[in-house]
mmCIF file of all heavy atoms in Angstrom:
data_model
loop_
_atom_site.group_PDB
_atom_site.id
_atom_site.type_symbol
_atom_site.label_atom_id
_atom_site.label_comp_id
_atom_site.label_asym_id
_atom_site.label_seq_id
_atom_site.Cartn_x
_atom_site.Cartn_y
_atom_site.Cartn_z
ATOM 1 N N PHE A 1 259.671 82.415 135.068
ATOM 2 C CA PHE A 1 260.820 81.556 135.321
ATOM 3 C C PHE A 1 262.056 82.093 134.609
ATOM 4 O O PHE A 1 261.980 82.539 133.463
ATOM 5 C CB PHE A 1 260.488 80.147 134.832
ATOM 6 C CG PHE A 1 261.666 79.232 134.723
ATOM 7 C CD1 PHE A 1 262.218 78.671 135.860
ATOM 8 C CD2 PHE A 1 262.217 78.928 133.492
ATOM 9 C CE1 PHE A 1 263.299 77.816 135.767
ATOM 10 C CE2 PHE A 1 263.300 78.076 133.379
ATOM 11 C CZ PHE A 1 263.842 77.517 134.527
ATOM 12 N N VAL A 2 263.191 82.006 135.289
ATOM 13 C CA VAL A 2 264.469 82.409 134.690
ATOM 14 C C VAL A 2 265.410 81.209 134.563
ATOM 15 O O VAL A 2 265.901 80.907 133.480
ATOM 16 C CB VAL A 2 265.149 83.515 135.520
ATOM 17 C CG1 VAL A 2 266.543 83.820 134.980
ATOM 18 C CG2 VAL A 2 264.290 84.780 135.538
ATOM 19 N N ALA A 3 265.674 80.555 135.683
ATOM 20 C CA ALA A 3 266.628 79.447 135.661
ATOM 21 C C ALA A 3 266.400 78.556 136.869
ATOM 22 O O ALA A 3 265.868 79.003 137.890
ATOM 23 C CB ALA A 3 268.068 79.977 135.673
ATOM 24 N N SER A 4 266.816 77.288 136.745
ATOM 25 C CA SER A 4 266.729 76.367 137.877
ATOM 26 C C SER A 4 267.870 75.378 137.816
ATOM 27 O O SER A 4 268.496 75.178 136.757
ATOM 28 C CB SER A 4 265.382 75.641 137.901
ATOM 29 O OG SER A 4 265.199 74.858 136.728
ATOM 30 N N ILE A 5 268.138 74.776 138.964
ATOM 31 C CA ILE A 5 269.226 73.823 139.079
ATOM 32 C C ILE A 5 268.765 72.676 139.967
ATOM 33 O O ILE A 5 268.082 72.886 140.974
ATOM 34 C CB ILE A 5 270.499 74.502 139.617
ATOM 35 C CG1 ILE A 5 271.697 73.569 139.575
ATOM 36 C CG2 ILE A 5 270.275 75.071 141.019
ATOM 37 C CD1 ILE A 5 273.035 74.300 139.769
ATOM 38 N N SER A 6 269.132 71.464 139.583
ATOM 39 C CA SER A 6 268.694 70.293 140.314
ATOM 40 C C SER A 6 269.374 70.207 141.681
ATOM 41 O O SER A 6 270.345 70.913 141.962
ATOM 42 C CB SER A 6 269.013 69.038 139.498
ATOM 43 O OG SER A 6 270.419 68.902 139.327
ATOM 44 N N ARG A 7 268.850 69.328 142.517
ATOM 45 C CA ARG A 7 269.429 69.128 143.847
ATOM 46 C C ARG A 7 270.915 68.821 143.752
ATOM 47 O O ARG A 7 271.715 69.314 144.540
ATOM 48 C CB ARG A 7 268.727 67.965 144.527
ATOM 49 C CG ARG A 7 267.344 68.225 145.009
ATOM 50 C CD ARG A 7 266.691 66.938 145.471
ATOM 51 N NE ARG A 7 267.604 66.142 146.283
ATOM 52 C CZ ARG A 7 267.417 64.865 146.571
ATOM 53 N NH1 ARG A 7 266.351 64.223 146.101
ATOM 54 N NH2 ARG A 7 268.259 64.215 147.334
ATOM 55 N N SER A 8 271.265 68.003 142.793
ATOM 56 C CA SER A 8 272.656 67.568 142.652
ATOM 57 C C SER A 8 273.540 68.640 142.041
ATOM 58 O O SER A 8 274.760 68.572 142.136
ATOM 59 C CB SER A 8 272.701 66.322 141.777
ATOM 60 O OG SER A 8 272.207 66.628 140.477
ATOM 61 N N GLY A 9 272.914 69.604 141.385
ATOM 62 C CA GLY A 9 273.682 70.629 140.692
ATOM 63 C C GLY A 9 274.125 70.208 139.306
ATOM 64 O O GLY A 9 274.735 70.995 138.579
ATOM 65 N N VAL A 10 273.800 68.978 138.918
ATOM 66 C CA VAL A 10 274.270 68.464 137.636
ATOM 67 C C VAL A 10 273.435 68.989 136.479
ATOM 68 O O VAL A 10 273.939 69.240 135.382
ATOM 69 C CB VAL A 10 274.236 66.922 137.647
ATOM 70 C CG1 VAL A 10 274.511 66.363 136.270
ATOM 71 C CG2 VAL A 10 275.244 66.380 138.665
ATOM 72 N N VAL A 11 272.130 69.178 136.721
ATOM 73 C CA VAL A 11 271.225 69.574 135.645
ATOM 74 C C VAL A 11 270.743 71.001 135.874
ATOM 75 O O VAL A 11 270.405 71.388 136.992
ATOM 76 C CB VAL A 11 270.006 68.631 135.578
ATOM 77 C CG1 VAL A 11 269.100 69.029 134.414
ATOM 78 C CG2 VAL A 11 270.453 67.184 135.429
ATOM 79 N N THR A 12 270.749 71.788 134.809
ATOM 80 C CA THR A 12 270.254 73.162 134.868
ATOM 81 C C THR A 12 269.224 73.391 133.767
ATOM 82 O O THR A 12 269.208 72.686 132.748
ATOM 83 C CB THR A 12 271.398 74.171 134.709
ATOM 84 O OG1 THR A 12 272.067 73.923 133.467
ATOM 85 C CG2 THR A 12 272.395 74.065 135.850
ATOM 86 N N GLY A 13 268.384 74.394 133.977
ATOM 87 C CA GLY A 13 267.383 74.756 132.985
ATOM 88 C C GLY A 13 267.267 76.267 132.912
ATOM 89 O O GLY A 13 267.449 76.950 133.933
ATOM 90 N N TYR A 14 266.975 76.780 131.717
ATOM 91 C CA TYR A 14 266.920 78.226 131.529
ATOM 92 C C TYR A 14 265.728 78.607 130.654
ATOM 93 O O TYR A 14 265.322 77.855 129.759
ATOM 94 C CB TYR A 14 268.192 78.719 130.839
ATOM 95 C CG TYR A 14 269.453 78.501 131.639
ATOM 96 C CD1 TYR A 14 270.221 77.351 131.456
ATOM 97 C CD2 TYR A 14 269.869 79.438 132.583
ATOM 98 C CE1 TYR A 14 271.368 77.133 132.197
ATOM 99 C CE2 TYR A 14 271.023 79.229 133.328
ATOM 100 C CZ TYR A 14 271.762 78.081 133.128
ATOM 101 O OH TYR A 14 272.901 77.868 133.865
ATOM 102 N N ALA A 15 265.220 79.795 130.909
ATOM 103 C CA ALA A 15 264.255 80.370 129.989
ATOM 104 C C ALA A 15 264.975 80.713 128.690
ATOM 105 O O ALA A 15 266.165 81.050 128.700
ATOM 106 C CB ALA A 15 263.635 81.625 130.598
ATOM 107 N N ASP A 16 264.259 80.634 127.590
ATOM 108 C CA ASP A 16 264.876 80.924 126.291
ATOM 109 C C ASP A 16 265.473 82.329 126.262
ATOM 110 O O ASP A 16 266.498 82.559 125.614
ATOM 111 C CB ASP A 16 263.841 80.777 125.179
ATOM 112 C CG ASP A 16 263.469 79.328 124.912
ATOM 113 O OD1 ASP A 16 264.222 78.433 125.335
ATOM 114 O OD2 ASP A 16 262.413 79.105 124.283
ATOM 115 N N SER A 17 264.850 83.264 126.958
ATOM 116 C CA SER A 17 265.277 84.655 126.913
ATOM 117 C C SER A 17 266.630 84.890 127.567
ATOM 118 O O SER A 17 267.255 85.928 127.332
ATOM 119 C CB SER A 17 264.231 85.544 127.583
ATOM 120 O OG SER A 17 264.023 85.150 128.927
ATOM 121 N N VAL A 18 267.105 83.944 128.385
ATOM 122 C CA VAL A 18 268.377 84.151 129.082
ATOM 123 C C VAL A 18 269.433 83.104 128.718
ATOM 124 O O VAL A 18 270.579 83.204 129.172
ATOM 125 C CB VAL A 18 268.175 84.172 130.611
ATOM 126 C CG1 VAL A 18 267.111 85.201 131.000
ATOM 127 C CG2 VAL A 18 267.837 82.794 131.148
ATOM 128 N N LYS A 19 269.071 82.138 127.917
ATOM 129 C CA LYS A 19 270.022 81.078 127.545
ATOM 130 C C LYS A 19 271.250 81.681 126.887
ATOM 131 O O LYS A 19 271.156 82.547 126.019
ATOM 132 C CB LYS A 19 269.361 80.087 126.575
ATOM 133 C CG LYS A 19 268.558 79.012 127.249
ATOM 134 C CD LYS A 19 267.963 78.054 126.221
ATOM 135 C CE LYS A 19 267.096 77.006 126.894
ATOM 136 N NZ LYS A 19 266.424 76.132 125.893
ATOM 137 N N GLY A 20 272.411 81.193 127.320
ATOM 138 C CA GLY A 20 273.660 81.678 126.756
ATOM 139 C C GLY A 20 274.185 82.942 127.423
ATOM 140 O O GLY A 20 275.324 83.338 127.191
ATOM 141 N N ARG A 21 273.351 83.568 128.249
ATOM 142 C CA ARG A 21 273.784 84.796 128.937
ATOM 143 C C ARG A 21 273.841 84.615 130.461
ATOM 144 O O ARG A 21 274.688 85.221 131.115
ATOM 145 C CB ARG A 21 272.824 85.943 128.620
ATOM 146 C CG ARG A 21 272.739 86.285 127.145
ATOM 147 C CD ARG A 21 271.916 87.556 126.904
ATOM 148 N NE ARG A 21 270.531 87.424 127.359
ATOM 149 C CZ ARG A 21 269.975 88.214 128.260
ATOM 150 N NH1 ARG A 21 270.672 89.201 128.830
ATOM 151 N NH2 ARG A 21 268.694 88.050 128.596
ATOM 152 N N PHE A 22 272.932 83.816 131.008
ATOM 153 C CA PHE A 22 272.877 83.596 132.449
ATOM 154 C C PHE A 22 273.366 82.192 132.784
ATOM 155 O O PHE A 22 273.163 81.249 132.005
ATOM 156 C CB PHE A 22 271.431 83.724 132.946
ATOM 157 C CG PHE A 22 270.859 85.120 132.907
ATOM 158 C CD1 PHE A 22 271.494 86.165 132.241
ATOM 159 C CD2 PHE A 22 269.667 85.396 133.551
ATOM 160 C CE1 PHE A 22 270.963 87.443 132.210
ATOM 161 C CE2 PHE A 22 269.119 86.666 133.530
ATOM 162 C CZ PHE A 22 269.770 87.680 132.854
ATOM 163 N N THR A 23 273.982 82.063 133.955
ATOM 164 C CA THR A 23 274.444 80.769 134.442
ATOM 165 C C THR A 23 274.054 80.611 135.904
ATOM 166 O O THR A 23 274.377 81.468 136.727
ATOM 167 C CB THR A 23 275.960 80.630 134.298
ATOM 168 O OG1 THR A 23 276.337 80.818 132.931
ATOM 169 C CG2 THR A 23 276.410 79.245 134.756
ATOM 170 N N ILE A 24 273.378 79.515 136.204
ATOM 171 C CA ILE A 24 273.002 79.225 137.584
ATOM 172 C C ILE A 24 273.932 78.156 138.142
ATOM 173 O O ILE A 24 274.347 77.236 137.417
ATOM 174 C CB ILE A 24 271.523 78.763 137.674
ATOM 175 C CG1 ILE A 24 271.076 78.637 139.129
ATOM 176 C CG2 ILE A 24 271.298 77.470 136.907
ATOM 177 C CD1 ILE A 24 269.578 78.420 139.290
ATOM 178 N N SER A 25 274.288 78.303 139.409
ATOM 179 C CA SER A 25 275.137 77.312 140.067
ATOM 180 C C SER A 25 274.756 77.250 141.539
ATOM 181 O O SER A 25 274.039 78.124 142.048
ATOM 182 C CB SER A 25 276.613 77.674 139.909
ATOM 183 O OG SER A 25 276.888 78.937 140.480
ATOM 184 N N ARG A 26 275.226 76.210 142.212
ATOM 185 C CA ARG A 26 274.914 76.063 143.628
ATOM 186 C C ARG A 26 276.096 75.460 144.362
ATOM 187 O O ARG A 26 276.928 74.752 143.764
ATOM 188 C CB ARG A 26 273.668 75.200 143.835
ATOM 189 C CG ARG A 26 273.820 73.732 143.439
ATOM 190 C CD ARG A 26 272.480 73.011 143.520
ATOM 191 N NE ARG A 26 272.014 72.887 144.896
ATOM 192 C CZ ARG A 26 270.747 72.638 145.225
ATOM 193 N NH1 ARG A 26 269.813 72.506 144.277
ATOM 194 N NH2 ARG A 26 270.394 72.528 146.510
ATOM 195 N N ASP A 27 276.147 75.738 145.659
ATOM 196 C CA ASP A 27 277.163 75.173 146.538
ATOM 197 C C ASP A 27 276.425 74.524 147.709
ATOM 198 O O ASP A 27 275.960 75.216 148.613
ATOM 199 C CB ASP A 27 278.110 76.273 147.022
ATOM 200 C CG ASP A 27 279.278 75.734 147.814
ATOM 201 O OD1 ASP A 27 279.162 74.627 148.375
ATOM 202 O OD2 ASP A 27 280.299 76.424 147.899
ATOM 203 N N ASN A 28 276.306 73.215 147.664
ATOM 204 C CA ASN A 28 275.556 72.516 148.707
ATOM 205 C C ASN A 28 276.273 72.520 150.049
ATOM 206 O O ASN A 28 275.659 72.241 151.075
ATOM 207 C CB ASN A 28 275.252 71.084 148.274
ATOM 208 C CG ASN A 28 274.126 71.016 147.252
ATOM 209 O OD1 ASN A 28 273.463 72.018 146.970
ATOM 210 N ND2 ASN A 28 273.910 69.850 146.672
ATOM 211 N N ALA A 29 277.547 72.809 150.058
ATOM 212 C CA ALA A 29 278.290 72.907 151.316
ATOM 213 C C ALA A 29 278.018 74.241 152.015
ATOM 214 O O ALA A 29 278.126 74.330 153.245
ATOM 215 C CB ALA A 29 279.782 72.742 151.060
ATOM 216 N N LYS A 30 277.671 75.248 151.235
ATOM 217 C CA LYS A 30 277.439 76.589 151.786
ATOM 218 C C LYS A 30 275.977 77.003 151.738
ATOM 219 O O LYS A 30 275.630 78.111 152.151
ATOM 220 C CB LYS A 30 278.280 77.618 151.034
ATOM 221 C CG LYS A 30 279.774 77.412 151.181
ATOM 222 C CD LYS A 30 280.556 78.502 150.464
ATOM 223 C CE LYS A 30 282.048 78.308 150.651
ATOM 224 N NZ LYS A 30 282.834 79.356 149.948
ATOM 225 N N ASP A 31 275.120 76.124 151.214
ATOM 226 C CA ASP A 31 273.685 76.417 151.118
ATOM 227 C C ASP A 31 273.413 77.707 150.343
ATOM 228 O O ASP A 31 272.624 78.567 150.777
ATOM 229 C CB ASP A 31 273.039 76.505 152.505
ATOM 230 C CG ASP A 31 273.025 75.175 153.240
ATOM 231 O OD1 ASP A 31 273.475 74.168 152.648
ATOM 232 O OD2 ASP A 31 272.579 75.133 154.400
ATOM 233 N N THR A 32 274.090 77.831 149.224
ATOM 234 C CA THR A 32 273.914 79.028 148.404
ATOM 235 C C THR A 32 273.682 78.662 146.942
ATOM 236 O O THR A 32 274.127 77.620 146.462
ATOM 237 C CB THR A 32 275.138 79.954 148.477
ATOM 238 O OG1 THR A 32 276.293 79.226 148.052
ATOM 239 C CG2 THR A 32 275.356 80.478 149.886
ATOM 240 N N VAL A 33 272.967 79.535 146.269
ATOM 241 C CA VAL A 33 272.768 79.416 144.832
ATOM 242 C C VAL A 33 273.049 80.778 144.215
ATOM 243 O O VAL A 33 272.732 81.813 144.808
ATOM 244 C CB VAL A 33 271.346 78.922 144.494
ATOM 245 C CG1 VAL A 33 270.278 79.858 145.048
ATOM 246 C CG2 VAL A 33 271.170 78.723 143.003
ATOM 247 N N THR A 34 273.692 80.794 143.071
ATOM 248 C CA THR A 34 274.052 82.039 142.422
ATOM 249 C C THR A 34 273.521 82.081 140.993
ATOM 250 O O THR A 34 273.266 81.045 140.376
ATOM 251 C CB THR A 34 275.569 82.232 142.387
ATOM 252 O OG1 THR A 34 276.160 81.164 141.645
ATOM 253 C CG2 THR A 34 276.158 82.240 143.775
#
């Protein structure tokens, strides 16, 4: 596991190894996650 984001995009979770360096986000209008 690296990172995850809730359906709403409000809540995110990260593996300890990437915290502070990686950022997950999503655009529900475009059906994309980055």
Side-chain angles (χ1 to χ4, degrees):
F1 166 76
V2 174
S4 61
I5 187 166
S6 63
R7 287 171 44 195
S8 62
V10 171
V11 182
T12 58
Y14 297 93
D16 288 343
S17 58
V18 306
K19 276 181 183 176
R21 299 188 299 122
F22 290 12
T23 303
I24 187 170
S25 60
R26 67 187 292 161
D27 186 336
N28 284 352
K30 296 183 178 179
D31 293 357
T32 58
V33 59
T34 61

